[in-house]
Amino acid sequence: MTAPEENVTEPAGPPEDQPPAAGSLTNAITALVLLGVGVAAVVASWTLGVGTAREPDSGMWPLLIGVALIVLGAALLAKFRTPSDAERFTRSGWPVLGGLATMVVFVVVLEYVGFEIPATLLCFAWLRFLGRESLRVSIVGSVAVVAVFYAVFVGALSVPIPHLL
């Protein structure tokens, strides 16, 4: 009788197929950026008004998320020298930065232009350039997504959002 084979996990591939690992400097910078975003969220949440646990105001969720980011950033900073599975920034990271940049532009122009146009353009850009969808799918999809969000949040839930007119 032969012994049953054990479940052996094969390595993901040769080391040259793996993306380069981030160094301790990259880990420290990432932790500091996370801490900065968390602090900014906490400060901004106080300007919105936090309220109480029984009657939260509009700044309560940004406050909680900001505190969580600060805790996670501090934890990352405490162990930035230890090896991790963090990857070094490579060419494949540019689309992620592009998505983040378009989101920042969306947030900035939302107050001045309203929800409808920036949201449609953001959806279109993400579908067309990040998702590599066809022109037809990008146009129809972005208009449909914004229409559904508008119907749910403005129509059904009466959430006040900035409008163009």
Side-chain angles (χ1 to χ4, degrees):
M1 265 182 110
T2 60
E5 291 185 32
E6 294 181 26
N7 289 337
V8 177
T9 304
E10 294 294 321
E16 62 270 3
D17 289 346
Q18 300 297 322
S24 58
L25 177 63
T26 303
N27 291 340
I29 290 171
T30 302
L32 290 172
V33 167
L34 193 57
L35 278 168
V37 170
V39 168
V42 167
V43 169
S45 70
W46 285 108
T47 63
L48 291 172
V50 176
T52 65
R54 286 188 183 269
E55 294 182 30
D57 209 350
S58 57
M60 181 61 79
W61 277 110
L63 174 72
L64 295 174
I65 292 170
V67 168
L69 290 175
I70 290 170
V71 169
L72 292 172
L76 285 173
L77 192 58
K79 57 178 244 161
F80 77 95
R81 290 191 189 275
T82 59
S84 67
D85 61 351
E87 298 175 10
R88 183 178 304 150
F89 185 81
T90 61
R91 199 173 158 193
S92 64
W94 284 112
V96 175
L97 284 180
L100 180 62
T102 56
M103 180 59 82
V104 168
V105 170
F106 169 76
V107 169
V108 169
V109 301
L110 180 70
E111 183 178 341
Y112 303 104
V113 180
F115 169 76
E116 298 84 357
I117 294 171
T120 304
L121 292 174
L122 177 70
C123 286
F124 176 81
W126 282 11
L127 286 169
R128 182 74 176 145
F129 303 112
L130 299 179
R132 296 191 173 115
E133 295 293 341
S134 70
L135 186 60
R136 179 181 297 155
V137 168
S138 298
I139 292 171
V140 172
S142 60
V143 170
V145 164
V146 171
V148 168
F149 269 78
Y150 191 86
V152 169
F153 288 102
V154 176
L157 299 175
S158 300
V159 174
I161 60 171
H163 296 286
L164 183 60
L165 300 173

